[in-house]
Amino acid sequence: MMKRLLRGGARSSAPQHYSGARVVSARAFSHARSLTAAAVAVAMMATVAVSALLPTYSATADDGSLAGSTCTPTSIGLGDDTSITGSDTGVATYVGGDMYVGGKPSNADALNSATGPTGTYAVEAEGLTVVNGSLAMNPKKRAWRLWNTGSAGGTSYVSRGFRWGVVGFGSQFRPADGKVALAVGGNTSTSVMGSKVGAWTAPGWLGKTSSTDVTAHGYTASLAGGTTQVWGQLGVDSVRGLSGKDTTTTQPPVLGVDSNLVVWDQSNNLSNVNGTDYSAYKSKIAKLSEDLDNGTKLPATGTVTTGTAPSASNYTIYNMTTVRTGTQAIPSCSTTIWIRKS
């Protein structure tokens, strides 16, 4: 079973549904045999410059023209061009229960105290994320920093936090501009800061990195429960929209907020997310997983053998801080590529 590496270093072994290079730490209710995740893994292992054939899945994809089909193959390149306009009409990550950007605490009381969930160095999630239950985040890396300027420039910064919708390096396969990138339904009994969404250390965010940023794509968030603020940080919402109209001459700098990008206290909001009803999606995924497991929709077509790689001294390990695509450095992340020299 493949372990999913989260951007920034956290790890999840929960089954997830992908339509690109995705980021999540969740108790996901998704089919375990994700053809897309396999395609991404193979593509990344081969070379970071390859254009992978990634199948895309939507809530209505099982009505495809081929009998038993669930995916429509689409050629998508991996890279860091965040200006690409999205066209994904499906969901990148669906969580049937509660989602943790970090780790689920052993005691649920931690979600209503300074303890919070276990911290993570994950920094972003690509595409649409739909959470049926509650969302708790504890991003530790203090990513997406804005530094101060002026005579004392470069001496202090503020972290934007964990980004939803757009990632620095990935498939860049996302919803169309102006669509929802994060929807939290709050349909479990889990309390997070007395509400349904909460953050520790740093917030979640959507929006611009500067006033001229054209890579934000106008993504929005629809959240169940009342507004919460990052634990111990007065005035910083747990998920917020950023305008890019920042003040950098102060110590520390101040981020400009766009309150129109995040809507709280939503009820029955999963019934229409970008035109799709996800209110009963948990049952749909359970049925799909069952079909894939017993072979009724995806019969076996051959055999697969596995084994242990031979012991050798000529393996080279690369990560995204050292691998380059052409002349452009790939942003740092935790993806690791193993290559054996022949």
Side-chain angles (χ1 to χ4, degrees), residues 105-126:
S106 57
N107 187 339
D109 292 341
L111 299 177
N112 292 287
S113 73
T115 304
T118 304
T120 177
Y121 284 90
V123 297
E124 51 200 12
E126 185 171 35

Side-chain angles (χ1 to χ4, degrees), residues 12-338:
S12 172
S13 58
Q16 298 149 19
H17 176 76
Y18 286 78
S19 56
R22 303 299 185 189
V23 185
V24 69
S25 176
R27 186 178 64 188
F29 202 116
S30 175
H31 62 82
R33 299 182 181 183
S34 172
L35 298 178
T36 306
V40 171
V42 170
M44 293 297 290
M45 289 171 64
T47 170
V48 295
V50 73
S51 178
L53 185 65
L54 304 179
T56 63
Y57 179 79
S58 71
T60 58
D62 54 357
D63 297 326
S65 58
L66 298 177
S69 64
T70 60
C71 301
T72 302
T74 304
S75 181
I76 301 171
L78 299 171
D80 58 0
D81 184 1
T82 57
S83 67
I84 296 172
T85 300
S87 60
D88 188 1
T89 59
V91 55
T93 303
Y94 175 78
V95 184
D98 303 315
M99 179 175 181
Y100 299 91
V101 179
K104 179 181 178 181
S106 57
N107 187 339
D109 292 341
L111 299 177
N112 292 287
S113 73
T115 304
T118 304
T120 177
Y121 284 90
V123 297
E124 51 200 12
E126 185 171 35
L128 169 62
T129 298
V130 176
V131 183
N132 183 51
S134 297
L135 170 63
M137 302 169 283
N138 192 358
K140 294 279 193 178
K141 193 171 184 178
R142 300 188 180 278
W144 295 98
R145 298 176 180 181
L146 174 69
W147 289 87
N148 69 320
T149 58
S151 59
T155 59
S156 66
Y157 68 87
V158 61
S159 168
R160 294 180 176 87
F162 184 94
R163 192 175 194 181
W164 296 96
V166 181
V167 300
F169 180 86
S171 68
Q172 307 305 335
F173 188 55
R174 297 173 264 96
D177 290 3
K179 298 295 186 179
V180 173
L182 173 64
V184 180
N187 298 314
T188 63
S189 60
T190 304
S191 172
V192 180
M193 294 186 179
S195 185
K196 293 299 180 181
V197 177
W200 287 254
T201 307
W205 69 283
L206 309 94
K208 296 182 177 182
T209 57
S210 71
S211 59
T212 58
D213 184 6
V214 296
T215 66
H217 302 287
Y219 291 143
T220 63
S222 174
L223 311 176
T227 307
T228 64
Q229 297 182 338
V230 178
W231 194 277
Q233 298 183 35
L234 185 65
V236 180
D237 288 355
S238 293
V239 179
R240 60 182 177 176
L242 299 180
S243 65
K245 299 176 181 179
D246 309 318
T247 302
T248 60
T249 54
T250 59
Q251 294 262 18
V254 178
L255 293 164
V257 175
D258 185 348
S259 59
N260 295 320
L261 297 181
V262 180
V263 183
W264 295 79
D265 206 20
Q266 298 299 289
S267 60
N268 194 33
N269 58 330
L270 300 191
S271 63
N272 185 354
V273 180
N274 299 338
T276 298
D277 184 354
Y278 290 101
S279 58
Y281 202 63
K282 182 175 180 178
S283 299
K284 185 181 185 71
I285 293 298
K287 181 62 167 61
L288 176 60
S289 296
E290 179 183 353
D291 290 342
L292 291 173
D293 185 56
N294 62 30
T296 58
K297 291 291 182 67
L298 190 67
T301 58
T303 60
V304 176
T305 58
T306 62
T308 302
S311 176
S313 60
N314 58 344
Y315 285 99
T316 301
I317 182 172
Y318 297 93
N319 59 37
M320 291 308 187
T321 60
T322 57
V323 178
R324 289 176 177 267
T325 302
T327 59
Q328 186 176 19
I330 295 174
S332 173
C333 71
S334 63
T335 305
T336 300
I337 304 171
W338 290 87

